[in-house]
């Protein structure tokens, strides 16, 4: 899984394991997206997340992260 392989580099689980974040979008776009996707645009990545039901968190300690009720660390 991409998140497990890249964790700590360009994409991380949030502390509670219920959402993930992309702390450095430029590096993520340049190094990680081309490795796993046919595109290298962050907007396209966000569109895919939206298609699969992920929600961008806009409040709280995980602000800026992405959440899906079935996408949990360790599952």
């Amino acid at each position: 899984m991409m998140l497990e392989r890249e964790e700590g580099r360009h994409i991380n689980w949030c502390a509670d394991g219920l959402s993930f974040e992309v702390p450095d979008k430029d590096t993520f776009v340049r190094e990680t997206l081309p490795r796993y996707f046919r595109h290298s645009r962050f907007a396209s990545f966000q569109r895919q997340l939206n298609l699969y039901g992920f929600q961008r968190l806009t409040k709280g300690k995980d602000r800026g992260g992405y959440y899906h009720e079935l996408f949990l660390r360790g599952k």
Side-chain angles (χ1 to χ4, degrees), residues 23-37:
D24 183 355
K25 290 178 183 159
D26 293 332
T27 305
F28 179 76
V29 166
R30 189 175 59 250
E31 297 182 16
T32 304
L33 277 183
R35 195 175 308 153
Y36 297 96
F37 300 94

Side-chain angles (χ1 to χ4, degrees), residues 29-67:
V29 166
R30 189 175 59 250
E31 297 182 16
T32 304
L33 277 183
R35 195 175 308 153
Y36 297 96
F37 300 94
R38 294 182 188 170
H39 57 78
S40 57
R41 294 185 57 222
F42 194 75
S44 297
F45 176 68
Q46 287 179 305
R47 197 171 305 114
Q48 283 187 302
L49 290 174
N50 290 335
L51 278 171
Y52 288 106
F54 282 82
Q55 298 174 354
R56 180 137 193 231
L57 303 174
T58 58
K59 297 179 182 177
K61 62 179 173 26
D62 295 333
R63 182 175 175 220
Y66 297 90
Y67 166 80

